Amino acid sequence: MIFTPYGDPELSEHNLVATEFFDFDHPAVASFVERTIGSENDPVAQAVRLFYAVRDEIRYDMYGVTVDPTRFRASDVLSRTRAFCIPKASLLVASLRAVGIPAVIGTSDVVNHFSTPKMERAMGGKTIFLHHGYATIYLAGKWVKAVPAFNKELCAQMGVAPTEFDGHVDALLQEYDAQNNVRMTYLKDHGHWSDLPMARTAADFVGYYPETFTQLSEHSS
């Protein structure tokens, strides 16, 4: 596994291969990619199609936070059709690699001001979301970031426009809603990884979130 703590990752074969979590060699992922891109041959257009498919066909589920490694695999995300940000980013990275587009996963700590009182109670009163996941993609000679986390239906409920992606500029979650209220604050970037750093992610989740939070999500269906 290649870790890039600062700046853009380097182009290498590690950005293109199937892995335990980016399992684009799984039939479900291959079928999803084929259906999504159709006859499109342009890499930027392919990436855009895949972004929107992951964003909207997989419902965002914050209660899906878990330390079960199987839940982070791209193929598992497709079987459940809902997930939180890291597994959704895994599916996007895997799908991009399936068509030969270099992609890695990145994570950042954020404060999500959309959080509800119910969510805050489940998180033990904490307000920081650890390891918010996103994909970093090599397109048209440069790296761009894309966050496919919040599906458009959820964004409509929250009163914020969904994240849009054109393949040329970063597509990060919005800091403000339509009323100019702060909705997302990025605190710390953890760099880029050629495969999901599962051991580190799980250790941080166990050390930070209440045990009942991951237990609750383990039984979500």
Side-chain angles (χ1 to χ4, degrees), residues 87-220:
K88 290 191 71 168
S90 290
L91 175 57
L92 180 55
V93 171
S95 300
L96 292 160
R97 290 187 181 186
V99 292
I101 299 174
V104 298
I105 195 166
T107 65
S108 298
D109 296 340
V110 302
V111 176
N112 182 358
H113 301 276
F114 287 115
S115 183
T116 64
K118 177 182 177 182
M119 176 61 67
E120 291 179 2
R121 288 193 298 272
M123 292 173 59
K126 295 182 171 66
T127 59
I128 297 173
F129 290 75
L130 296 187
H131 297 300
H132 165 65
Y134 59 89
T136 298
I137 313 160
Y138 191 76
L139 291 169
K142 65 178 181 178
W143 292 95
V144 291
K145 298 177 180 179
V147 179
F150 294 165
N151 52 291
K152 61 184 179 182
E153 291 84 4
L154 179 62
C155 289
Q157 294 173 14
M158 296 188 298
V160 64
T163 303
E164 306 292 349
F165 182 54
D166 65 2
H168 297 286
V169 298
D170 292 343
L172 302 177
L173 295 176
Q174 298 88 334
E175 293 185 65
Y176 303 94
D177 65 13
Q179 287 72 45
N180 210 36
N181 298 309
V182 176
R183 290 304 189 186
M184 184 71 67
T185 304
Y186 283 82
L187 300 177
K188 180 179 179 179
D189 190 271
H190 293 290
H192 301 104
W193 306 79
S194 61
D195 196 10
L196 178 68
M198 188 66 230
R200 172 178 172 170
T201 302
D204 287 348
F205 281 1
V206 169
Y208 178 75
Y209 293 120
E211 185 177 3
T212 51
F213 185 51
T214 55
Q215 285 181 341
L216 170 67
S217 55
E218 281 291 315
H219 296 289
S220 63

